[in-house]
Amino acid sequence: MRMVFFCSIAIALTACGSNAATSAFRAGSLSPTCGPAGGSAVRLVLADGELTCETPEPATHITIWAQGTSLDEVEIARAHGAERCIEGACASIVGGTVHTLRAEADRSEVRWSLELADGAHDEGTAWVRVCAALAHPCR
């Protein structure tokens, strides 16, 4: 009986080993933007609620700017910039990845695993609105 109890505690402690809490970000938008050199880039905004293509960044968000015209896979080290803001207090994202898992009509499912400058970690998945119909700002 003691052995079973000990194993249960060991399994529970192993499961708690990650410092990533359940992400507050459940939706977002992906839109074209200009990169730092005037080239094409995309802007992913993750939020705790639905966004339209015209919604400005809410006070609580993750924003990632990446080179190119799509978001298949982005390593944060190669992104133009990335930040996580909670109620307006922002921290730089210094590492991690963002992947597009699948696309359906005007939405894509993205998965992220991000490391913040303060050592915190944020990971999750969300369906984001793809705003490809907007005029590209670099043209």
Side-chain angles (χ1 to χ4, degrees), residues 31-35 38-43 131-132 134-139:
S31 56
T33 189
C34 278
S40 298
V42 292
R43 180 175 147 252
C131 303
L134 296 178
H136 198 284
C138 297
R139 293 186 187 144

Side-chain angles (χ1 to χ4, degrees), residues 1-138:
M1 188 66 108
R2 280 188 176 165
M3 183 66 120
V4 172
F5 180 71
F6 176 76
C7 289
S8 297
I9 290 174
I11 291 169
L13 290 175
T14 301
C16 296
S18 173
N19 64 347
T22 302
S23 184
F25 306 100
R26 308 211 185 297
S29 65
L30 178 64
S31 56
T33 189
C34 278
S40 298
V42 292
R43 180 175 147 252
L44 172 66
V45 178
L46 297 168
D48 57 359
E50 284 293 316
L51 298 177
T52 68
C53 293
E54 293 81 21
T55 304
E57 290 174 346
T60 298
H61 67 272
I62 289 177
T63 301
I64 299 168
W65 296 270
Q67 183 176 355
T69 57
S70 67
L71 186 74
D72 296 325
E73 180 178 348
V74 172
E75 291 182 31
I76 296 305
R78 296 176 187 218
H80 294 308
E83 67 181 5
R84 181 180 76 170
C85 299
I86 306 293
E87 296 182 17
C90 299
S92 295
I93 298 172
V94 296
T97 58
V98 179
H99 300 273
T100 297
L101 300 176
R102 59 186 164 155
E104 293 180 5
D106 69 341
R107 299 219 180 234
S108 288
E109 184 180 21
V110 296
R111 175 184 305 161
W112 65 93
S113 178
L114 305 171
E115 179 186 333
L116 282 75
D118 64 5
H121 193 83
D122 194 300
E123 59 186 38
T125 59
W127 281 94
V128 299
R129 183 177 313 277
V130 177
C131 303
L134 296 178
H136 198 284
C138 297

